[in-house]
Each structure stands twice: as structure tokens, then as C-alpha cells.
Amino acid sequence: MSVRRNNMPGFRLTLGFTVFYLVTLVLLPLSGLLWKASALSPAKFWEVVASERALAAYRLSFGASFVAALVNVVFGGLVAWVLARYPFPGRRFVDAAVDLPFALPTAVAGIALTWVYSEHGWIGQHLVPLGLEIAFRPAGVVVALAFVGLPFVVRTVQPVLLELDPEVEEAAACLGASRWQTFRRVLFPRLVPALVAGFALAFARALGEYGSVVFISGNMPLRTEIAPLLIVGRLEQFDYAGATGIALALLVVSFVLLVGINAAQAWTRRRTGEEP
Amino acid sequence: MSAHRSTRAPTEPPLVRALLIVIALVFLAFFLIVPVVAVFVQALADGPAAYFAAITDPATRSAIRLTLIAAGISVPLNTLFGLAASWAITKFEFRGKTLLLTLIDLPFTVSPIISGLVFVVLFGAQGLLGPWLLAHGIRVIFAVPGIVIATTFVTFPFVARELIPLMQSQGNEEEEAALVLGASGWQTFFRVTLPKIKWGLLYGVVLCASRAMGEFGAVSVVSGHIRGHTNTVPLHVEILYDEYDFVGAFAVASLLALLGLVTLGVKRLVEARESR
């Protein structure tokens, strides 16, 4: 390991403890999972990972996470824009409220959203008579996942908006661009990397989300069962091998996403010229 | 929030601005504020007496005790790790730093269900270390140690993620000056670095504690839901909810919601301190 020479003390102590803690708490247990999964025969692995019920769950998890992340990009982008650019009374309060889904324990969000959107809840009682059922339907899964993912988009886009140089917009205006043209041609392209990064973060978070979804989804196999719930189902039958197989499939997807997010963030930094 | 925009920067017509603000606020009100308000309204639906009965119930009290134990162990450990990791990463250059940063984020990207599963696979009866633990009469899964370990795993990155960007932005000049003037490494840490990072550290610790007390998925997998024995506050919310004791569930959930609101308050306070 090559260390740049500087006179700071404590390199061995702090890095040693960091690596030791990381390996004991995270890496060794995770490799235990991989080891257990490797004990599965390919036939059994395929049977577990590609059963009809599992495929339905992946479809719901990926579909609902995708839609929720899209909702987050549209509304989160709008919220970030309003917070960064328009002064209005109570802006500080609203800015703080954006972090609510991040601070609220998932089970609390889960039961609250379920009640609010169910037949007798504040919002559900107006929607259900119109035929718009949300609780215990795939739409409920989308609502819960969009709730959880919102801060990720806002907090990725907002700093980029704040750092845009107003001179660029002034220049566009001086050159005769309308406000809409300036937004479409000058501002929006600069926001795209942040919107993509925010989308990926919200999507990744949504794929693994559990607590806020299990209450509102109703957990009906083939219809409203999300992928993490498949693992819980296998565990309840003491089918450790099956649970591990599905977990491995999900881990691979999360890992690919993590790499993609890092690439998207590096792209954002390059595009906005911000130091890492 | 920094850098208010100059008034001469071009902006949208007042009508467009007002419309965008209204859409953003209506979205946030229905999507974020309504569910949080619902928690407290539902908790008090049968009056204050029922509320206090629910939160002082022996099962609730034992769940609170276990939650505090889990947080009381995981938060100091993760704080120590966060300090060591941020010192190693921000004061030194070494190969593999990017990999280390990615690995620190790992528990953040793994689904909470998989985080729990990892420890069931490791310590469960059919797990890798299960037979050995059984022979020595040590219970980890479906017992308190499993809950503590799963909580520590899930909340592992929070302090480090707060401190690393903060210490990176602060640089090392003051530490270097202290060392040149003859301070020891520990003196430099306690007298120079700690005062510099105290607000960021405070928020990291509060966030870590709030996440530790609110963790649902991972803890649910390892706990076995034994009432009065391996029941944490979020799990107790689920039990009450599944028993159709909605007032009880929301009353206990309101404690966690308060915790989330306190976390948000601390975040604002710290941001105000740091921007000063």
C-alpha cells in the first residue's frame, strides 16, 4: 500500500480499525451468503429464482420501482426547482419536510400510507368511489416507493440548480431566447445528469424497500408481492437455500445499479465541473 | 442553503412561478405531510387516555427497552468506525480508497431483508455457525444478539457518510499546524479536529440512532417476533397493526415519528451552524 508522505499520525490505527470492522461486520457475513448460495445446484437455483411466483414479484418490484422513480424525477425535479429558485413564505419548512421520508421509520410510513389511501382514509375515501383503488393494489406499491424515493431526487438536483451560473441564463436572454427556450436548451441539459443520478438512487432504494411496502401492498402472491417478500416467505418455510438464491439474484442487480449510480454521479460531476 | 440568486437574473412570469409553487406544495402536502399528520391523528383517535395506555403497555415498554439496547450498542460502534474511517480516508492517500468508499456504502444499497438474511444464514440453526452456536448454547437468531448485529449492519455507513465529505471540505491545515507546534496525534484529534467536526458528527450520530431505532426489515428477519422478548418498537407497531389494534399501532408509531421529526430538527440546526 503506497502512502503519500505526510506528517499526519494514526494511519495504521484508523485504516486498520476501518478495514477490520468492515470485514467482520459486512464482508465476511456477505460472503457467507454467497457461500451458502453456491451450495445450491444450478437446477435448484433456477427453479427458485425463475419460478412463476418469483417472476411475478420481480415484474412488480422492477415495474413499480421504475414508475415510482419516474414520478420522483418529475415531482422531485419540480420541488427542487421551486425550492432553489422561488422565495415563498414557509420555504425553509418545506425544504426540511422533503427529508421526512428519509427520517421517518419505514414501518411508520407503511401503516400511515396504508390508512390514508385505504377505503376509509383521508385520501382513499375520495378516490375509492371514483374507482381509483390504491391500497392493496400495485398502485399502492408505487405510492409507497415514490414516498421513500422522493428525497433522493430532490437532494441530487437541488445543489446542481443552486450552483448554475445565472450569467449563462442572462446571456441566453440577451441573445433573444425566450424563457422556455432558455430552460429547454440551456438549463435542462445541465440538469439531466443530476436527474439521472437521482432516478438511479430512487430506483435502487425502491428495489430493496420493505417496511413501507408490506403494509400497503397486501402481499398477494402473483399480484402484489414484492421481491424482498419472496425471501421472507422462503425463510418462514425454513427454506434457507431458496431464500439465499433469491437474495443472490437481487444482490447482483443492486450491485450493477450501484456501479451505474457511481458512473452517473461521476458524469454529473464532470458535466457540472464540480470537484469530487 | 447558500448563494441566493441575484435579483437581476432572468426568471419566469409571476403566473408561471405561482403555478409551479402551488403544484409543488400540493404534491408535498398530500404526499408527505398528510401521512405524518395521520399518524398523530389516528394515535389520538380514542383520546389521550387510550394513547397513554398504548405507549405505557408492558409489551410496548419492553419493546422500547430492546430498541434502546440495540441502538445503545450499534450507535457507539458505528460512531467509532465513522471517526476512524473518515480520518483514514480524508487525511491519507492510499490505493483502494475508492473501493473502500464503495464498500462502506454497501449496507446502504442492500435490501434490509437481505441484511437480515445474511445473519440468519450465518448464525441460524441451519446456518454456517449454527451447529457450533447450538452446541455452546448461544442463541443469536431469534434473540437479542441477532437484533443488535442486524441493527449495527444496517446503520453502519451513517456516521462515516456524514463525516467524510465534511472533513474533506475542511482540509488538514489546522491539524498540520497543531502537529508542527508539537501536539500529539490524540491531542490534535481532540482539540483541533473534534471541535471542527462536532456539528456534522452530532447529526451523523442522531441520524444513525434514529435509523437504528426505526429499522424494520432486517430486524424483522432476525427477531422471530417473540413478544416481550425479541420485539423492537417498529416490530411492535406491526404486531399491533396485524391484530387490528390501530390506535395502539399508531400510538407506538407516533413515538417513532417524533424521533424522525427530532432528527430533521437536528439536521436543520446543524446546517444553520455550519453555514454560519
Side-chain angles (χ1 to χ4, degrees):
Chain A
M1 206 162 263
S2 66
V3 184
R4 197 192 65 193
R5 289 192 69 80
N6 70 17
N7 55 2
M8 283 287 158
F11 179 69
R12 277 157 183 257
L13 176 71
T14 54
L15 188 68
F17 180 70
T18 301
V19 171
F20 168 77
Y21 193 76
L22 183 74
V23 168
T24 341
L25 185 68
V26 179
L27 298 185
L28 281 179
L30 273 176
S31 41
L33 189 74
L34 296 181
W35 198 58
K36 187 86 183 174
S38 69
L40 281 170
S41 72
K44 166 78 175 165
F45 180 77
W46 189 249
E47 180 204 315
V48 166
V49 170
S51 71
E52 191 196 355
R53 187 170 164 184
L55 291 178
Y58 304 146
R59 217 173 295 133
L60 176 66
S61 268
F62 281 94
S65 300
F66 188 84
V67 176
L70 270 186
V71 169
N72 283 332
V73 164
V74 173
F75 284 96
L78 174 69
V79 168
W81 175 272
V82 166
L83 285 175
R85 302 207 148 210
Y86 304 151
F88 59 89
R91 183 165 74 163
R92 283 166 55 95
F93 172 78
V94 174
D95 194 32
V98 167
D99 285 322
L100 264 174
F102 191 63
L104 204 64
T106 54
V108 178
I111 64 168
L113 289 170
T114 310
W115 181 76
V116 166
Y117 288 98
S118 67
E119 211 179 335
H120 304 290
W122 288 337
I123 297 177
Q125 63 179 321
H126 302 291
L127 296 181
V128 172
L130 304 174
L132 285 169
E133 292 189 43
I134 290 178
F136 317 121
R137 296 283 187 281
V141 178
V142 173
V143 166
L145 295 179
F147 178 86
V148 168
L150 185 72
F152 292 94
V153 175
V154 179
R155 295 299 181 228
T156 315
V157 176
Q158 201 177 11
V160 177
L161 273 169
L162 284 171
E163 283 184 9
L164 285 179
D165 189 349
E167 281 180 21
V168 182
E169 290 165 60
E170 283 159 24
C174 288
L175 294 170
S178 74
R179 193 60 199 149
W180 174 242
Q181 280 174 323
T182 309
F183 175 77
R184 211 166 46 109
R185 299 267 182 87
V186 179
L187 295 175
F188 186 69
R190 291 174 173 232
L191 295 179
V192 168
L195 288 169
V196 171
F199 177 89
L201 283 170
F203 184 72
R205 172 71 210 263
L207 273 186
E209 178 56 28
Y210 178 74
S212 58
V213 182
V214 283
F215 296 98
I216 201 168
S217 71
N219 307 328
M220 284 168 282
L222 299 173
R223 293 186 53 213
T224 60
E225 186 178 56
I226 53 168
L229 203 71
L230 288 172
I231 300 176
V232 176
R234 294 275 171 176
L235 275 177
E236 277 168 358
Q237 299 160 15
F238 297 100
D239 177 7
Y240 286 19
T244 316
I246 296 164
L248 190 66
L250 291 181
L251 268 181
V252 169
V253 175
S254 312
F255 182 74
V256 170
L257 273 171
L258 184 66
V259 172
I261 292 167
N262 282 345
Q265 277 170 342
W267 185 43
T268 312
R269 279 197 290 268
R270 273 202 306 278
R271 286 283 293 255
T272 54
E274 180 197 322
E275 284 297 304
Chain B
M1 280 319 86
S2 61
H4 277 282
R5 295 168 52 77
S6 71
T7 44
R8 53 192 187 96
T11 184
E12 289 71 45
L15 194 67
V16 175
R17 294 168 60 136
L19 193 67
L20 291 178
I21 293 175
V22 167
I23 296 173
L25 291 185
V26 168
F27 170 77
L28 291 177
F30 277 99
F31 209 60
L32 297 188
I33 309 294
V34 162
V36 178
V37 175
V39 172
F40 293 97
V41 171
Q42 289 295 98
L44 291 162
D46 288 352
Y51 178 81
F52 285 107
I55 60 172
T56 53
D57 178 77
T60 309
R61 286 211 306 257
S62 100
I64 292 174
R65 201 174 311 124
L66 181 54
T67 292
L68 291 177
I69 291 173
I73 297 172
S74 60
V75 174
L77 280 176
N78 287 334
T79 304
L80 208 59
F81 164 77
L83 286 168
S86 54
W87 183 276
I89 285 168
T90 62
K91 306 285 180 217
F92 304 96
E93 290 302 326
F94 52 91
R95 222 178 296 156
K97 196 194 252 192
T98 321
L99 177 68
L100 184 61
L101 279 167
T102 308
L103 289 176
I104 289 176
D105 272 351
L106 205 58
F108 202 66
T109 36
V110 171
S111 169
I113 293 302
I114 298 180
S115 309
L117 173 70
V118 162
F119 295 103
V120 173
V121 165
L122 204 59
F123 300 121
Q126 307 174 32
L128 300 173
L129 302 177
W132 186 86
L133 290 172
L134 211 61
H136 290 78
I138 307 169
R139 278 184 79 85
V140 177
I141 297 306
F142 304 150
V144 177
I147 290 178
V148 172
I149 296 170
T151 305
T152 312
F153 179 92
V154 172
T155 56
F156 165 82
F158 285 104
V159 178
R161 281 171 66 100
E162 275 313 307
L163 289 183
I164 292 168
L166 178 66
M167 284 170 67
Q168 244 156 12
S169 71
Q170 285 176 339
N172 297 340
E173 281 166 27
E174 285 140 298
E175 280 85 350
E176 275 160 11
L179 290 163
V180 167
L181 294 172
S184 75
W186 290 108
Q187 280 175 327
T188 309
F189 173 73
F190 281 109
R191 306 244 183 106
V192 180
T193 309
L194 207 54
K196 269 176 27 179
I197 60 168
K198 62 180 179 207
W199 293 108
L201 179 64
L202 172 72
Y203 176 58
V205 170
V206 168
L207 183 63
C208 186
S210 155
R211 279 307 182 94
M213 295 190 222
E215 177 50 31
F216 178 69
V219 167
S220 154
V221 170
V222 296
S223 77
H225 290 293
I226 305 164
R227 201 172 182 163
H229 185 59
T230 61
N231 210 9
T232 65
V233 176
L235 297 179
H236 193 52
V237 169
E238 185 193 26
I239 289 180
L240 294 172
Y241 189 85
D242 287 346
E243 288 171 349
Y244 301 102
D245 178 2
F246 294 129
V247 168
F250 279 104
V252 178
S254 74
L255 299 176
L256 292 171
L258 275 178
L259 186 71
L261 294 177
V262 167
T263 312
L264 286 190
V266 172
K267 179 170 191 242
R268 286 285 119 170
L269 187 82
V270 166
E271 279 172 356
R273 290 276 172 176
E274 275 175 359
S275 64
R276 207 181 271 170

